Amino acid sequence: MSTAKLTPARRRAVAGADAATGLVRASERVLEGLVDGGFAVRHPRPPHRHYLTPAGRELRDRLLAEAAAESAAGATAGPAGSQDPAEPGVFAARTGGEPAPSDAAARAREVRSAWEGLAELRRLTNADGATDVPCAWERTHLASAVALALEAGGLPPATDVTGGYVVTPAAHQPEAVRVDRRPGPALRELVRGAGVLEAAGWQVSEHPERDGGMYLLASPRRR
């Protein structure tokens, strides 16, 4: 079977296969099509699960790379001078502490475009096409994904001159990130941030600080 003839459902199933084991979850019709195309194999023993073949794994890598490239292209800055200086022409999530953008309106357009691109990446790479839970790319780029969700939700990151949120890796929790408000606790903004992240598909917990403040831990929600 030519990859050009793969249906969207088969593409989603391959892209959403388990990275370690190659286990594919999809309807019987989709699985049969992947077996016929040489992209999956049916295990002979019950419960007769399906796993990617070497060709299927190669296809999975290619689909994820294409989806990531499409997402990045959709997030590319438009007007001249609106790009992040660290990565000219390419959208970069703001995790907090960076200089303020020179053009707030252009930045808002870039964030909106990047969020739309991420939603499309979810649709293409999540096994069931779900857009309400993080995809594989987000699980390997936690800080950037959380920062984008917050900024797309209308919460500004901290800059070198203004306060706001800061996203950092969570100590001893590789599958989570920490969200703080700097300077000061500003609990209302953190609570609002928790709601934004939950609506974007993240699991969020609140944790008290000794000074009476609070921070958030965010990790990808699973179905």
Side-chain angles (χ1 to χ4, degrees):
M1 178 190 295
S2 168
T3 57
K5 296 181 180 180
L6 282 172
T7 65
R10 291 170 185 170
R11 288 174 178 268
R12 287 197 297 269
V14 171
D18 186 270
T21 65
L23 177 65
V24 188
R25 295 182 177 87
S27 67
E28 283 300 320
R29 183 176 180 180
V30 169
L31 293 171
E32 288 173 4
L34 292 176
V35 170
D36 291 342
F39 299 113
V41 61
R42 183 174 184 265
H43 197 284
R45 295 180 180 177
H48 301 299
R49 291 175 176 168
H50 290 71
Y51 297 85
L52 293 180
T53 62
R57 286 183 176 273
E58 181 180 345
L59 174 61
R60 178 183 182 276
D61 292 342
R62 187 159 69 251
L63 290 174
L64 293 180
E66 289 174 358
E70 289 175 3
S71 179
T76 299
S82 66
Q83 299 94 336
D84 282 299
E87 296 184 73
V90 178
F91 178 86
R94 300 172 62 81
T95 56
E98 303 90 350
S102 58
D103 188 334
R107 176 64 185 180
R109 289 193 297 269
E110 293 168 15
V111 170
R112 183 169 59 253
S113 178
W115 182 249
E116 292 172 354
L118 184 58
E120 180 66 5
L121 185 61
R122 288 180 173 186
R123 186 186 70 80
L124 289 170
T125 61
N126 280 337
D128 55 358
T131 59
D132 59 345
V133 292
C135 62
W137 182 89
E138 292 171 273
R139 296 174 191 278
T140 57
H141 299 77
L142 294 173
S144 294
V146 165
L148 173 57
L150 287 169
E151 194 171 2
L155 290 171
T159 72
D160 51 354
V161 294
T162 64
Y165 63 81
V166 176
V167 183
T168 57
H172 312 301
Q173 292 184 265
E175 294 187 358
V177 292
R178 173 170 171 154
V179 181
D180 292 273
R181 171 80 188 186
R182 298 179 187 172
L187 301 183
R188 181 179 299 176
E189 287 300 297
L190 277 176
V191 170
R192 182 184 170 201
V196 167
L197 290 175
E198 288 172 347
W202 295 82
Q203 181 174 312
V204 183
S205 57
E206 302 174 0
H207 301 267
E209 295 272 37
R210 292 182 179 179
D211 62 0
M214 181 180 73
Y215 67 91
L216 306 176
L217 285 180
S219 59
R221 189 178 72 229
R222 300 181 184 276
R223 283 189 173 277

